[in-house]
Amino acid sequence: MGENKEQISPTHDSENPSSSNKSHDIIRRRCRRRILYCGCVAAIVGVVILVLALTVFKVREPIITMNSVNVQRFHPNKLNLTVIADVSFKNPNAVSFRYGNTTTTISYRGSTIGEVPGPPGVAPAHRTKRMNLTMDVLGDKLLESPNLLTDVGAGSLGVGSLTIIGGRVKILGFIKHHVDVILNCSYTFNISTQSIPDHSCHQHVKL
Ligand SMILES: *[C@@H]1O[C@H](CO)[C@@H](O)[C@H](O)[C@H]1NC(C)=O
Ligand SMILES: *[C@@H]1O[C@H](CO)[C@@H](O)[C@H](O)[C@H]1NC(C)=O
Ligand SMILES: *[C@@H]1O[C@H](CO)[C@@H](O)[C@H](O)[C@H]1NC(C)=O
Ligand SMILES: *[C@@H]1O[C@H](CO)[C@@H](O)[C@H](O)[C@H]1NC(C)=O
Ligand SMILES: *[C@@H]1O[C@H](CO)[C@@H](O)[C@H](O)[C@H]1NC(C)=O
């Protein structure tokens, strides 16, 4: 019986095209309903993820701590000096923080005396990354400053550094959020001990 029906239906369809259109319509409607259903589910999942991202996975700013600052090389007749900053970078987020090139600008009395490029990297979630940043201070530029002699006479130099870290956090693997961390530090360089006993940093974050 089934075979008979199959044999009859093609001829029937060719004589009566409206019935084939009807079955196509049903399939199309079913498809549309399925797409609509899938779309709704995707939208609901999207909303849930967004709520999670804004609450549980709330993007928090990274915490940067300057552990110590050391002057590696300082010759009285050569003003170039190398400063090594031991920096901890804590990522309090449940997501990893990927950052690009960093730039640290060193200034003395408002003029730039050195620039330190930093390599890009990743700060894993809930982890602290520790690194040594090497800063070269250009003595020639330092010498151009009219305040240098009085500062040297006083025994200390006030040096500032500005670090800009541009990064991106990725939430649940696909929601990306841009974060800019600006670290503004000031140091007091003691010439007689050739050390930096004092430093203070201010952090500013742009989400
Ligand atoms: C300081 O370093 C710069 C660049 O590394 C160099 O061009 C300059 O000659 C140095 N100056 C002194 C006094 O060593
Ligand atoms: C990062 O620094 C490297 C080397 O200085 C450079 O080739 C690259 O273009 C920089 N990338 C960005 C995103 O600035
Ligand atoms: C940074 O430098 C100090 C002293 O030179 C060293 O003990 C420490 O292991 C270094 N840290 C890193 C992360 O390289
Ligand atoms: C530099 O350090 C020495 C020893 O700690 C101290 O006696 C001196 O007062 C310091 N100089 C300045 C300008 O702070
Ligand atoms: C960095 O801090 C100093 C004072 O602590 C301030 O004068 C300077 O404007 C700050 N720089 C930036 C770029 O915020």
Side-chain angles (χ1 to χ4, degrees), residues 84 86 130-132:
I84 297 179
D86 182 352
R130 201 163 171 170
M131 58 189 135
N132 283 333

Side-chain angles (χ1 to χ4, degrees), residues 87-163:
V87 176
S88 283
F89 187 83
K90 188 183 185 214
N91 179 11
N93 293 289
V95 290
S96 64
F97 178 76
R98 184 179 291 276
Y99 53 92
N101 289 353
T102 60
T103 317
T104 301
T105 310
I106 302 162
S107 61
Y108 168 70
R109 296 229 176 221
S111 59
T112 301
I113 54 167
E115 253 174 38
V116 187
V122 180
H126 295 310
R127 296 275 174 80
T128 300
K129 200 172 179 173
R130 201 163 171 170
M131 58 189 135
N132 283 333
L133 288 177
T134 305
M135 313 183 186
D136 284 311
V137 178
L138 304 180
D140 309 45
K141 289 249 182 90
L142 199 60
L143 278 172
E144 286 167 11
S145 177
N147 300 99
L148 189 67
L149 278 179
T150 46
D151 280 353
V152 168
S156 71
L157 297 182
V159 178
S161 79
L162 192 70
T163 307

Side-chain angles (χ1 to χ4, degrees), residues 18-34:
S18 66
S19 83
S20 98
N21 275 357
K22 228 176 238 170
S23 66
H24 272 271
D25 269 357
I26 290 167
I27 292 167
R28 222 175 281 154
R29 232 176 283 151
R30 249 183 227 155
C31 255
R32 219 175 287 153
R33 214 177 293 159
R34 199 169 293 166

Side-chain angles (χ1 to χ4, degrees), residues 49-64:
I49 287 173
L50 206 67
V51 169
L52 275 178
L54 295 174
T55 54
V56 182
F57 297 99
K58 190 171 178 289
V59 176
R60 276 174 290 169
E61 57 190 67
I63 300 157
I64 303 169

Side-chain angles (χ1 to χ4, degrees), residues 78-80 138-140:
K78 270 193 193 171
L79 265 168
N80 279 1
L138 304 180
D140 309 45

